[in-house]
Amino acid sequence: DAMVIQNPRYQVTQFGKPVTLSCSQTLNHNVMYWYQQKSSQAPKLLFHYYDKDFNNEADTPDNFQSRRPNTSFCFLDIRSPGLGDAAMYLCATSRGVGTGFYSNQPQHFGDGTRLSIL
Amino acid sequence: RKEVEQDPGPFNVPEGATVAFNCTYSNSASQSFFWYRQDCRKEPKLLMSVYSSGNEDGRFTAQLNRASQYISLLIRDSKLSDSATYLCVVNRYSGGYQKVTFGTGTKLQVIP
């Protein structure tokens, strides 16, 4: 089945130790998103790619970076995780249809990676 | 004011009841709208897109009111399995890219 796969499901890292979360998709969608979701809060968009074009949300901390080496894979790098970065990280994809860098299509989410910081 | 607002609930309803949620959005340039459900500690799953003319999928009906800037979700004949948090999502085109905003969700608890 076509899907969005995130690895690992659970990640524990130490305060300040860089960590990378990965996302892959078999949907062949050209738009990929990374969200952060904390308990009882809405998912918050960190950044997204429309094909290779990258858009960083204005309030995404500099500590968070992303790479998309090809259509299928996308990575979230947290350079120096702080305690406040403990959250669920969600990857999503959608088909880019519409004018400009805009997708009016629904998003499909992976299972998420739950990040804990020691 | 938040760009997308939802009543957090919880809505506690008996099985078989009809329940409705609203989601208001502040930016009139918003273009596409969706409802997702999210179970505890799981990822959001698409429930349905919301079309201008309104749309129905089984027991679920979604409507869009552009004049008053809200979308709604109606669930008929509630099942225990409908217990979840329902998130609305609003998309718009901003600064050359899409702006995606999730509501904080409305929690539904269906009681036997």
Side-chain angles (χ1 to χ4, degrees), chain B residues 75-107:
Chain B
I75 306 175
R76 288 181 297 277
D77 188 22
S78 300
K79 312 288 185 197
L80 295 176
S81 57
D82 294 333
S83 298
T85 296
Y86 290 82
L87 301 163
C88 66
V89 179
V90 175
N91 279 7
R92 62 181 170 88
Y93 191 61
S94 173
Y97 292 93
Q98 75 181 82
K99 170 86 173 157
V100 181
T101 306
F102 275 75
T104 49
T106 297
K107 188 169 182 179

PDB file of all heavy atoms in Angstrom, chain B residues 75-107:
ATOM      1  N   ILE B  75     -21.955  14.750  12.656  1.00  0.00           N
ATOM      2  CA  ILE B  75     -21.857  13.293  12.759  1.00  0.00           C
ATOM      3  C   ILE B  75     -23.207  12.772  13.233  1.00  0.00           C
ATOM      4  O   ILE B  75     -23.696  13.158  14.308  1.00  0.00           O
ATOM      5  CB  ILE B  75     -20.766  12.859  13.763  1.00  0.00           C
ATOM      6  CG1 ILE B  75     -19.419  13.499  13.417  1.00  0.00           C
ATOM      7  CG2 ILE B  75     -20.640  11.340  13.791  1.00  0.00           C
ATOM      8  CD1 ILE B  75     -18.311  13.220  14.436  1.00  0.00           C
ATOM      9  N   ARG B  76     -23.802  11.929  12.411  1.00  0.00           N
ATOM     10  CA  ARG B  76     -25.097  11.343  12.773  1.00  0.00           C
ATOM     11  C   ARG B  76     -24.877   9.948  13.332  1.00  0.00           C
ATOM     12  O   ARG B  76     -23.897   9.268  13.001  1.00  0.00           O
ATOM     13  CB  ARG B  76     -25.994  11.238  11.534  1.00  0.00           C
ATOM     14  CG  ARG B  76     -26.537  12.560  11.031  1.00  0.00           C
ATOM     15  CD  ARG B  76     -27.437  12.343   9.797  1.00  0.00           C
ATOM     16  NE  ARG B  76     -26.663  11.772   8.696  1.00  0.00           N
ATOM     17  CZ  ARG B  76     -25.923  12.479   7.865  1.00  0.00           C
ATOM     18  NH1 ARG B  76     -25.850  13.790   7.999  1.00  0.00           N
ATOM     19  NH2 ARG B  76     -25.258  11.896   6.888  1.00  0.00           N
ATOM     20  N   ASP B  77     -25.807   9.509  14.191  1.00  0.00           N
ATOM     21  CA  ASP B  77     -25.783   8.149  14.716  1.00  0.00           C
ATOM     22  C   ASP B  77     -24.386   7.810  15.276  1.00  0.00           C
ATOM     23  O   ASP B  77     -23.729   6.870  14.830  1.00  0.00           O
ATOM     24  CB  ASP B  77     -26.170   7.150  13.614  1.00  0.00           C
ATOM     25  CG  ASP B  77     -26.364   5.739  14.119  1.00  0.00           C
ATOM     26  OD1 ASP B  77     -26.616   5.572  15.326  1.00  0.00           O
ATOM     27  OD2 ASP B  77     -26.226   4.788  13.321  1.00  0.00           O
ATOM     28  N   SER B  78     -23.942   8.596  16.220  1.00  0.00           N
ATOM     29  CA  SER B  78     -22.585   8.456  16.766  1.00  0.00           C
ATOM     30  C   SER B  78     -22.308   7.035  17.248  1.00  0.00           C
ATOM     31  O   SER B  78     -23.150   6.398  17.882  1.00  0.00           O
ATOM     32  CB  SER B  78     -22.404   9.410  17.944  1.00  0.00           C
ATOM     33  OG  SER B  78     -22.577  10.741  17.559  1.00  0.00           O
ATOM     34  N   LYS B  79     -21.087   6.586  16.949  1.00  0.00           N
ATOM     35  CA  LYS B  79     -20.620   5.278  17.405  1.00  0.00           C
ATOM     36  C   LYS B  79     -19.516   5.492  18.446  1.00  0.00           C
ATOM     37  O   LYS B  79     -18.853   6.523  18.458  1.00  0.00           O
ATOM     38  CB  LYS B  79     -20.021   4.482  16.231  1.00  0.00           C
ATOM     39  CG  LYS B  79     -20.870   4.437  14.965  1.00  0.00           C
ATOM     40  CD  LYS B  79     -22.065   3.568  15.128  1.00  0.00           C
ATOM     41  CE  LYS B  79     -22.819   3.447  13.811  1.00  0.00           C
ATOM     42  NZ  LYS B  79     -24.196   2.936  14.027  1.00  0.00           N
ATOM     43  N   LEU B  80     -19.312   4.466  19.256  1.00  0.00           N
ATOM     44  CA  LEU B  80     -18.231   4.540  20.238  1.00  0.00           C
ATOM     45  C   LEU B  80     -16.897   4.808  19.542  1.00  0.00           C
ATOM     46  O   LEU B  80     -16.042   5.535  20.058  1.00  0.00           O
ATOM     47  CB  LEU B  80     -18.144   3.252  21.048  1.00  0.00           C
ATOM     48  CG  LEU B  80     -19.330   2.925  21.945  1.00  0.00           C
ATOM     49  CD1 LEU B  80     -19.147   1.565  22.604  1.00  0.00           C
ATOM     50  CD2 LEU B  80     -19.531   4.006  23.002  1.00  0.00           C
ATOM     51  N   SER B  81     -16.739   4.248  18.353  1.00  0.00           N
ATOM     52  CA  SER B  81     -15.483   4.382  17.609  1.00  0.00           C
ATOM     53  C   SER B  81     -15.275   5.791  17.057  1.00  0.00           C
ATOM     54  O   SER B  81     -14.199   6.102  16.547  1.00  0.00           O
ATOM     55  CB  SER B  81     -15.439   3.375  16.455  1.00  0.00           C
ATOM     56  OG  SER B  81     -16.555   3.561  15.611  1.00  0.00           O
ATOM     57  N   ASP B  82     -16.294   6.645  17.149  1.00  0.00           N
ATOM     58  CA  ASP B  82     -16.124   8.029  16.714  1.00  0.00           C
ATOM     59  C   ASP B  82     -15.392   8.864  17.759  1.00  0.00           C
ATOM     60  O   ASP B  82     -15.030  10.014  17.489  1.00  0.00           O
ATOM     61  CB  ASP B  82     -17.492   8.682  16.430  1.00  0.00           C
ATOM     62  CG  ASP B  82     -18.215   8.067  15.248  1.00  0.00           C
ATOM     63  OD1 ASP B  82     -17.540   7.531  14.343  1.00  0.00           O
ATOM     64  OD2 ASP B  82     -19.463   8.126  15.226  1.00  0.00           O
ATOM     65  N   SER B  83     -15.203   8.326  18.943  1.00  0.00           N
ATOM     66  CA  SER B  83     -14.504   9.062  20.003  1.00  0.00           C
ATOM     67  C   SER B  83     -13.081   9.367  19.548  1.00  0.00           C
ATOM     68  O   SER B  83     -12.309   8.459  19.234  1.00  0.00           O
ATOM     69  CB  SER B  83     -14.466   8.245  21.302  1.00  0.00           C
ATOM     70  OG  SER B  83     -15.768   7.997  21.772  1.00  0.00           O
ATOM     71  N   ALA B  84     -12.760  10.644  19.484  1.00  0.00           N
ATOM     72  CA  ALA B  84     -11.462  11.098  18.973  1.00  0.00           C
ATOM     73  C   ALA B  84     -11.436  12.620  19.084  1.00  0.00           C
ATOM     74  O   ALA B  84     -12.412  13.236  19.523  1.00  0.00           O
ATOM     75  CB  ALA B  84     -11.277  10.694  17.507  1.00  0.00           C
ATOM     76  N   THR B  85     -10.342  13.204  18.662  1.00  0.00           N
ATOM     77  CA  THR B  85     -10.268  14.657  18.520  1.00  0.00           C
ATOM     78  C   THR B  85     -10.398  14.987  17.040  1.00  0.00           C
ATOM     79  O   THR B  85      -9.742  14.373  16.196  1.00  0.00           O
ATOM     80  CB  THR B  85      -8.934  15.194  19.078  1.00  0.00           C
ATOM     81  OG1 THR B  85      -8.882  14.932  20.477  1.00  0.00           O
ATOM     82  CG2 THR B  85      -8.814  16.697  18.844  1.00  0.00           C
ATOM     83  N   TYR B  86     -11.245  15.948  16.739  1.00  0.00           N
ATOM     84  CA  TYR B  86     -11.505  16.330  15.356  1.00  0.00           C
ATOM     85  C   TYR B  86     -10.834  17.672  15.082  1.00  0.00           C
ATOM     86  O   TYR B  86     -11.106  18.672  15.751  1.00  0.00           O
ATOM     87  CB  TYR B  86     -13.017  16.374  15.090  1.00  0.00           C
ATOM     88  CG  TYR B  86     -13.590  14.985  15.100  1.00  0.00           C
ATOM     89  CD1 TYR B  86     -13.917  14.353  16.302  1.00  0.00           C
ATOM     90  CD2 TYR B  86     -13.745  14.266  13.917  1.00  0.00           C
ATOM     91  CE1 TYR B  86     -14.390  13.050  16.320  1.00  0.00           C
ATOM     92  CE2 TYR B  86     -14.222  12.961  13.929  1.00  0.00           C
ATOM     93  CZ  TYR B  86     -14.531  12.365  15.133  1.00  0.00           C
ATOM     94  OH  TYR B  86     -14.990  11.061  15.150  1.00  0.00           O
ATOM     95  N   LEU B  87      -9.941  17.656  14.108  1.00  0.00           N
ATOM     96  CA  LEU B  87      -9.138  18.831  13.774  1.00  0.00           C
ATOM     97  C   LEU B  87      -9.600  19.416  12.446  1.00  0.00           C
ATOM     98  O   LEU B  87      -9.772  18.669  11.479  1.00  0.00           O
ATOM     99  CB  LEU B  87      -7.659  18.440  13.612  1.00  0.00           C
ATOM    100  CG  LEU B  87      -6.968  17.803  14.814  1.00  0.00           C
ATOM    101  CD1 LEU B  87      -5.690  17.105  14.372  1.00  0.00           C
ATOM    102  CD2 LEU B  87      -6.626  18.875  15.832  1.00  0.00           C
ATOM    103  N   CYS B  88      -9.781  20.703  12.404  1.00  0.00           N
ATOM    104  CA  CYS B  88     -10.030  21.318  11.101  1.00  0.00           C
ATOM    105  C   CYS B  88      -8.724  21.903  10.580  1.00  0.00           C
ATOM    106  O   CYS B  88      -7.836  22.278  11.354  1.00  0.00           O
ATOM    107  CB  CYS B  88     -11.119  22.386  11.178  1.00  0.00           C
ATOM    108  SG  CYS B  88     -10.701  23.829  12.145  1.00  0.00           S
ATOM    109  N   VAL B  89      -8.589  21.928   9.291  1.00  0.00           N
ATOM    110  CA  VAL B  89      -7.382  22.425   8.636  1.00  0.00           C
ATOM    111  C   VAL B  89      -7.792  23.419   7.559  1.00  0.00           C
ATOM    112  O   VAL B  89      -8.708  23.149   6.777  1.00  0.00           O
ATOM    113  CB  VAL B  89      -6.580  21.278   8.004  1.00  0.00           C
ATOM    114  CG1 VAL B  89      -5.332  21.828   7.295  1.00  0.00           C
ATOM    115  CG2 VAL B  89      -6.174  20.273   9.066  1.00  0.00           C
ATOM    116  N   VAL B  90      -7.113  24.538   7.548  1.00  0.00           N
ATOM    117  CA  VAL B  90      -7.414  25.597   6.588  1.00  0.00           C
ATOM    118  C   VAL B  90      -6.144  25.926   5.816  1.00  0.00           C
ATOM    119  O   VAL B  90      -5.079  26.133   6.406  1.00  0.00           O
ATOM    120  CB  VAL B  90      -7.920  26.852   7.346  1.00  0.00           C
ATOM    121  CG1 VAL B  90      -8.122  28.012   6.392  1.00  0.00           C
ATOM    122  CG2 VAL B  90      -9.200  26.532   8.104  1.00  0.00           C
ATOM    123  N   ASN B  91      -6.255  25.945   4.500  1.00  0.00           N
ATOM    124  CA  ASN B  91      -5.119  26.270   3.626  1.00  0.00           C
ATOM    125  C   ASN B  91      -5.370  27.588   2.926  1.00  0.00           C
ATOM    126  O   ASN B  91      -6.486  27.855   2.472  1.00  0.00           O
ATOM    127  CB  ASN B  91      -4.975  25.213   2.517  1.00  0.00           C
ATOM    128  CG  ASN B  91      -4.274  23.970   2.983  1.00  0.00           C
ATOM    129  OD1 ASN B  91      -3.985  23.808   4.146  1.00  0.00           O
ATOM    130  ND2 ASN B  91      -4.017  23.081   2.048  1.00  0.00           N
ATOM    131  N   ARG B  92      -4.332  28.369   2.768  1.00  0.00           N
ATOM    132  CA  ARG B  92      -4.428  29.545   1.912  1.00  0.00           C
ATOM    133  C   ARG B  92      -3.089  29.798   1.262  1.00  0.00           C
ATOM    134  O   ARG B  92      -2.080  29.232   1.668  1.00  0.00           O
ATOM    135  CB  ARG B  92      -4.899  30.786   2.686  1.00  0.00           C
ATOM    136  CG  ARG B  92      -3.978  31.233   3.792  1.00  0.00           C
ATOM    137  CD  ARG B  92      -4.557  32.450   4.507  1.00  0.00           C
ATOM    138  NE  ARG B  92      -3.802  32.755   5.719  1.00  0.00           N
ATOM    139  CZ  ARG B  92      -2.730  33.528   5.756  1.00  0.00           C
ATOM    140  NH1 ARG B  92      -2.287  34.109   4.650  1.00  0.00           N
ATOM    141  NH2 ARG B  92      -2.098  33.757   6.894  1.00  0.00           N
ATOM    142  N   TYR B  93      -3.110  30.631   0.251  1.00  0.00           N
ATOM    143  CA  TYR B  93      -1.911  30.971  -0.508  1.00  0.00           C
ATOM    144  C   TYR B  93      -1.362  32.259   0.085  1.00  0.00           C
ATOM    145  O   TYR B  93      -2.095  33.241   0.201  1.00  0.00           O
ATOM    146  CB  TYR B  93      -2.300  31.156  -1.966  1.00  0.00           C
ATOM    147  CG  TYR B  93      -1.161  31.252  -2.936  1.00  0.00           C
ATOM    148  CD1 TYR B  93      -0.270  30.202  -3.091  1.00  0.00           C
ATOM    149  CD2 TYR B  93      -0.989  32.389  -3.724  1.00  0.00           C
ATOM    150  CE1 TYR B  93       0.762  30.276  -4.014  1.00  0.00           C
ATOM    151  CE2 TYR B  93       0.029  32.467  -4.637  1.00  0.00           C
ATOM    152  CZ  TYR B  93       0.912  31.410  -4.776  1.00  0.00           C
ATOM    153  OH  TYR B  93       1.923  31.496  -5.691  1.00  0.00           O
ATOM    154  N   SER B  94      -0.089  32.223   0.505  1.00  0.00           N
ATOM    155  CA  SER B  94       0.466  33.401   1.170  1.00  0.00           C
ATOM    156  C   SER B  94       1.929  33.558   0.813  1.00  0.00           C
ATOM    157  O   SER B  94       2.726  32.641   1.046  1.00  0.00           O
ATOM    158  CB  SER B  94       0.304  33.254   2.691  1.00  0.00           C
ATOM    159  OG  SER B  94       0.959  34.301   3.383  1.00  0.00           O
ATOM    160  N   GLY B  95       2.301  34.706   0.272  1.00  0.00           N
ATOM    161  CA  GLY B  95       3.701  34.998  -0.002  1.00  0.00           C
ATOM    162  C   GLY B  95       4.351  34.003  -0.932  1.00  0.00           C
ATOM    163  O   GLY B  95       5.537  33.714  -0.817  1.00  0.00           O
ATOM    164  N   GLY B  96       3.591  33.455  -1.858  1.00  0.00           N
ATOM    165  CA  GLY B  96       4.154  32.512  -2.816  1.00  0.00           C
ATOM    166  C   GLY B  96       4.107  31.066  -2.375  1.00  0.00           C
ATOM    167  O   GLY B  96       4.511  30.178  -3.117  1.00  0.00           O
ATOM    168  N   TYR B  97       3.654  30.818  -1.170  1.00  0.00           N
ATOM    169  CA  TYR B  97       3.577  29.447  -0.669  1.00  0.00           C
ATOM    170  C   TYR B  97       2.233  29.227   0.004  1.00  0.00           C
ATOM    171  O   TYR B  97       1.489  30.170   0.246  1.00  0.00           O
ATOM    172  CB  TYR B  97       4.693  29.187   0.345  1.00  0.00           C
ATOM    173  CG  TYR B  97       6.059  29.192  -0.270  1.00  0.00           C
ATOM    174  CD1 TYR B  97       6.817  30.356  -0.303  1.00  0.00           C
ATOM    175  CD2 TYR B  97       6.582  28.049  -0.845  1.00  0.00           C
ATOM    176  CE1 TYR B  97       8.066  30.374  -0.886  1.00  0.00           C
ATOM    177  CE2 TYR B  97       7.833  28.051  -1.423  1.00  0.00           C
ATOM    178  CZ  TYR B  97       8.574  29.214  -1.443  1.00  0.00           C
ATOM    179  OH  TYR B  97       9.819  29.227  -2.025  1.00  0.00           O
ATOM    180  N   GLN B  98       1.979  27.963   0.315  1.00  0.00           N
ATOM    181  CA  GLN B  98       0.738  27.722   1.029  1.00  0.00           C
ATOM    182  C   GLN B  98       0.969  27.854   2.520  1.00  0.00           C
ATOM    183  O   GLN B  98       2.024  27.547   3.056  1.00  0.00           O
ATOM    184  CB  GLN B  98       0.167  26.351   0.693  1.00  0.00           C
ATOM    185  CG  GLN B  98       0.866  25.194   1.334  1.00  0.00           C
ATOM    186  CD  GLN B  98       0.229  23.890   0.920  1.00  0.00           C
ATOM    187  OE1 GLN B  98       0.507  23.365  -0.149  1.00  0.00           O
ATOM    188  NE2 GLN B  98      -0.629  23.357   1.759  1.00  0.00           N
ATOM    189  N   LYS B  99      -0.039  28.343   3.161  1.00  0.00           N
ATOM    190  CA  LYS B  99      -0.050  28.489   4.612  1.00  0.00           C
ATOM    191  C   LYS B  99      -1.075  27.484   5.128  1.00  0.00           C
ATOM    192  O   LYS B  99      -2.246  27.545   4.754  1.00  0.00           O
ATOM    193  CB  LYS B  99      -0.446  29.915   4.972  1.00  0.00           C
ATOM    194  CG  LYS B  99      -0.718  30.160   6.422  1.00  0.00           C
ATOM    195  CD  LYS B  99       0.545  30.482   7.163  1.00  0.00           C
ATOM    196  CE  LYS B  99       0.205  30.894   8.606  1.00  0.00           C
ATOM    197  NZ  LYS B  99       1.333  30.705   9.486  1.00  0.00           N
ATOM    198  N   VAL B 100      -0.609  26.565   5.943  1.00  0.00           N
ATOM    199  CA  VAL B 100      -1.480  25.515   6.474  1.00  0.00           C
ATOM    200  C   VAL B 100      -1.678  25.785   7.953  1.00  0.00           C
ATOM    201  O   VAL B 100      -0.707  25.922   8.696  1.00  0.00           O
ATOM    202  CB  VAL B 100      -0.831  24.123   6.318  1.00  0.00           C
ATOM    203  CG1 VAL B 100      -1.752  23.049   6.856  1.00  0.00           C
ATOM    204  CG2 VAL B 100      -0.461  23.867   4.866  1.00  0.00           C
ATOM    205  N   THR B 101      -2.917  25.842   8.380  1.00  0.00           N
ATOM    206  CA  THR B 101      -3.173  26.071   9.798  1.00  0.00           C
ATOM    207  C   THR B 101      -4.162  25.029  10.311  1.00  0.00           C
ATOM    208  O   THR B 101      -5.247  24.856   9.729  1.00  0.00           O
ATOM    209  CB  THR B 101      -3.748  27.475  10.045  1.00  0.00           C
ATOM    210  OG1 THR B 101      -2.883  28.448   9.453  1.00  0.00           O
ATOM    211  CG2 THR B 101      -3.834  27.750  11.543  1.00  0.00           C
ATOM    212  N   PHE B 102      -3.752  24.358  11.367  1.00  0.00           N
ATOM    213  CA  PHE B 102      -4.625  23.417  12.052  1.00  0.00           C
ATOM    214  C   PHE B 102      -5.340  24.121  13.200  1.00  0.00           C
ATOM    215  O   PHE B 102      -4.749  24.956  13.893  1.00  0.00           O
ATOM    216  CB  PHE B 102      -3.795  22.287  12.664  1.00  0.00           C
ATOM    217  CG  PHE B 102      -3.492  21.152  11.732  1.00  0.00           C
ATOM    218  CD1 PHE B 102      -2.535  21.290  10.747  1.00  0.00           C
ATOM    219  CD2 PHE B 102      -4.141  19.947  11.872  1.00  0.00           C
ATOM    220  CE1 PHE B 102      -2.240  20.228   9.898  1.00  0.00           C
ATOM    221  CE2 PHE B 102      -3.850  18.879  11.025  1.00  0.00           C
ATOM    222  CZ  PHE B 102      -2.897  19.029  10.040  1.00  0.00           C
ATOM    223  N   GLY B 103      -6.584  23.753  13.416  1.00  0.00           N
ATOM    224  CA  GLY B 103      -7.243  24.119  14.657  1.00  0.00           C
ATOM    225  C   GLY B 103      -6.703  23.226  15.776  1.00  0.00           C
ATOM    226  O   GLY B 103      -6.058  22.202  15.517  1.00  0.00           O
ATOM    227  N   THR B 104      -6.983  23.625  17.016  1.00  0.00           N
ATOM    228  CA  THR B 104      -6.487  22.846  18.153  1.00  0.00           C
ATOM    229  C   THR B 104      -7.317  21.593  18.404  1.00  0.00           C
ATOM    230  O   THR B 104      -6.926  20.751  19.195  1.00  0.00           O
ATOM    231  CB  THR B 104      -6.465  23.690  19.432  1.00  0.00           C
ATOM    232  OG1 THR B 104      -7.725  24.335  19.579  1.00  0.00           O
ATOM    233  CG2 THR B 104      -5.365  24.739  19.379  1.00  0.00           C
ATOM    234  N   GLY B 105      -8.439  21.488  17.707  1.00  0.00           N
ATOM    235  CA  GLY B 105      -9.212  20.254  17.788  1.00  0.00           C
ATOM    236  C   GLY B 105     -10.359  20.327  18.776  1.00  0.00           C
ATOM    237  O   GLY B 105     -10.327  21.071  19.755  1.00  0.00           O
ATOM    238  N   THR B 106     -11.379  19.538  18.471  1.00  0.00           N
ATOM    239  CA  THR B 106     -12.535  19.363  19.356  1.00  0.00           C
ATOM    240  C   THR B 106     -12.577  17.903  19.766  1.00  0.00           C
ATOM    241  O   THR B 106     -12.585  17.009  18.905  1.00  0.00           O
ATOM    242  CB  THR B 106     -13.843  19.726  18.639  1.00  0.00           C
ATOM    243  OG1 THR B 106     -13.823  21.108  18.287  1.00  0.00           O
ATOM    244  CG2 THR B 106     -15.043  19.453  19.551  1.00  0.00           C
ATOM    245  N   LYS B 107     -12.604  17.679  21.058  1.00  0.00           N
ATOM    246  CA  LYS B 107     -12.597  16.309  21.559  1.00  0.00           C
ATOM    247  C   LYS B 107     -14.028  15.785  21.683  1.00  0.00           C
ATOM    248  O   LYS B 107     -14.901  16.455  22.250  1.00  0.00           O
ATOM    249  CB  LYS B 107     -11.913  16.240  22.918  1.00  0.00           C
ATOM    250  CG  LYS B 107     -11.705  14.828  23.414  1.00  0.00           C
ATOM    251  CD  LYS B 107     -10.805  14.802  24.624  1.00  0.00           C
ATOM    252  CE  LYS B 107     -10.554  13.376  25.081  1.00  0.00           C
ATOM    253  NZ  LYS B 107      -9.661  13.314  26.241  1.00  0.00           N
TER     254      LYS B 107
END
